[in-house]
Amino acid sequence: MVSTDRVLVIGGGVAGLATAIGLDMAGRDSVVFEAASHSQSHSGASLFLGPAALGVLETMKLSDEVHDRSMPGSMLIPASGAEFEDPRLPEDFDFGAVGFRCIDRAALQEILSAEAARRGIEIHYDKRLITLNEGAASVLAHFQDGTTAEGSLLVGADGRMSRVRSLLFPGTRLTFANSWYVYGTSTTDGLDEELRARLERGEGYHHDGPGTFLLAYRDAPARPSKITFLLTGQSERKIPAKHFEHRDRDGLRAELADLVGTWSEPGARIIERATHVIPTQVYRPPSLTSWYHGRTVLAGDAVHATDPLTGLGSAFAFEDALYLAKMLRDHDYRDAFYYFQEDRRPHTSVVQEALANGAFALKDGTFALEEPQAADGDGPLEWITRTFDIDWDRTDTSPLASLAGATTTPEPAMPQATTDRAPQ
């Protein structure tokens, strides 16, 4: 008989794998189910890892390997002379100096998958979730291939298009965020010598076009000629899928190269030589009253997706993973889910509201980085780089201990969020 005393993790991306690793650190068994095939799950564009994500990776003892396989964020300093439009950022502002790193998504997936395998965590691919059934003591997941899996709890870490979210909260709708992105990989071959040298030594290439923005940079230390590019723009109305996501890649690449060529000859060359092109339009999930229902909880982009260029998606995914694992280590799942939501929500909602109000968006052809109104005076750098305090080695305990004068009792990991804690 298969034990149900395990956690089912739906989603084998960064959030799902990090959650499974965190659960193992907390002494909880888990198994991961990913809808894509193994090869598809290990593909994609780059990720920006800021201080929050790197802090969690350090707790997971994976920061050294991530450092070895990533490039410093100094590559975001433009070789082309373009700058973010914000006078509060110093002229010599360096993302690398404040802890940002850039890594190929496939490399990060490999690091996390290898760590999961080392810990004995099972990862099953080609497992597309269809429906869920919850019993008195377990959750049963049904997959498209006819198989099922049973666990004591389930974590929906399956991204902004989350199937788990749609099952927990039917009727919730995604909102088009009025922006589109095209990610790709290319080469420095064919670029002029000066720009090629700058890119290969780790600087970036930025260029603003009419309502669009191009960024090219390195993310793989072992491959100096490989560059990743990101082209983004805004649209009041979503682009028909047949002209974008479902467009044949050769035709899309040629059209994008023609578009960029009107304002950036190097950019056009980069796109013409692209070996991988990923078009996507950005949608935001609704603001949910609850992040969980019964024995199922949402994490990462499934509950609070952010805009790609901020690097906050990876930050939220890693922080969610470790904090949820800590709460499940220290509490019954009912309290764990409650604390996870109530402690994390103030941290993530400020950013979500700011992004929804255009705090990081193209304005007059240039990205503007603005301070969220509810960020307690944080400047543009602080709200992008701020972290959520997770003291992994300290047990989360009851505020009654301090009321009783038990000074030797460790304080909760998030003391500012414990004063109004109540049983669910």
Side-chain angles (χ1 to χ4, degrees), residues 32-296:
V32 178
F33 298 92
E34 165 59 37
S37 66
H38 182 272
S39 60
Q40 290 175 322
S41 70
H42 283 63
S43 64
S46 289
L47 287 175
F48 297 158
L49 301 178
L54 294 169
V56 173
L57 286 162
E58 184 173 1
T59 301
M60 292 179 171
K61 303 189 186 309
L62 297 173
S63 58
D64 287 346
E65 186 173 1
V66 167
H67 187 279
D68 291 343
R69 298 184 66 177
S70 64
M71 293 290 290
S74 54
M75 63 86 211
L76 291 172
I77 296 300
S80 59
E83 295 179 358
F84 286 114
E85 188 183 75
D86 197 302
R88 291 167 293 182
L89 291 180
E91 292 183 3
D92 59 351
F93 173 65
D94 185 345
F95 275 99
V98 296
F100 274 83
R101 297 195 71 83
C102 307
I103 188 169
D104 187 289
R105 182 184 289 271
L108 184 59
Q109 286 281 120
E110 289 171 5
I111 292 170
L112 295 174
S113 297
E115 178 62 13
R118 188 188 71 80
R119 292 174 175 272
I121 300 168
E122 295 179 10
I123 306 173
H124 299 279
Y125 297 95
D126 296 303
K127 294 291 183 179
R128 186 171 297 279
L129 181 70
I130 298 300
T131 190
L132 299 172
N133 295 113
E134 182 172 326
S138 65
V139 181
L140 185 66
H142 300 260
F143 300 101
Q144 191 175 52
D145 63 3
T147 61
T148 61
E150 191 172 11
S152 58
L153 303 172
L154 185 144
V155 179
D158 49 344
R160 71 175 70 222
M161 309 300 285
S162 173
R163 174 62 177 169
V164 177
R165 183 184 64 237
S166 69
L167 293 171
L168 287 190
F169 308 110
T172 55
R173 296 179 65 252
L174 294 169
T175 303
F176 180 51
N178 303 113
S179 59
W180 54 265
Y181 287 78
V182 178
Y183 305 92
T185 55
S186 189
T187 175
T188 58
D189 295 342
L191 299 178
D192 68 74
E193 289 303 313
E194 181 182 0
L195 179 56
R196 177 173 183 166
R198 286 185 166 190
L199 285 166
E200 291 186 358
R201 68 172 174 253
E203 295 182 48
Y205 175 78
H206 296 202
H207 207 108
D208 298 322
T212 51
F213 175 79
L214 176 71
L215 167 64
Y217 57 93
R218 283 183 57 202
D219 61 9
R223 300 175 62 186
S225 64
K226 180 221 170 191
I227 55 175
T228 292
F229 71 85
L230 183 154
L231 178 67
T232 182
Q234 292 193 299
S235 173
E236 289 298 319
R237 193 164 179 253
K238 77 175 292 293
I239 305 169
K242 64 182 179 181
H243 298 315
F244 198 59
E245 295 97 331
H246 298 165
R247 176 81 182 275
D248 71 278
R249 293 301 184 257
D250 288 341
L252 180 61
R253 181 170 51 242
E255 185 175 342
L256 292 172
D258 288 343
L259 169 69
V260 173
T262 62
W263 45 268
S264 171
E265 188 271 340
R269 289 190 182 183
I270 289 170
I271 294 173
E272 285 171 350
R273 289 163 174 76
T275 56
H276 199 45
V277 177
I278 307 170
T280 184
Q281 300 188 68
V282 179
Y283 297 85
R284 292 195 180 97
S287 178
L288 299 175
T289 302
S290 178
W291 295 3
Y292 61 94
H293 184 274
R295 293 177 172 270
T296 301

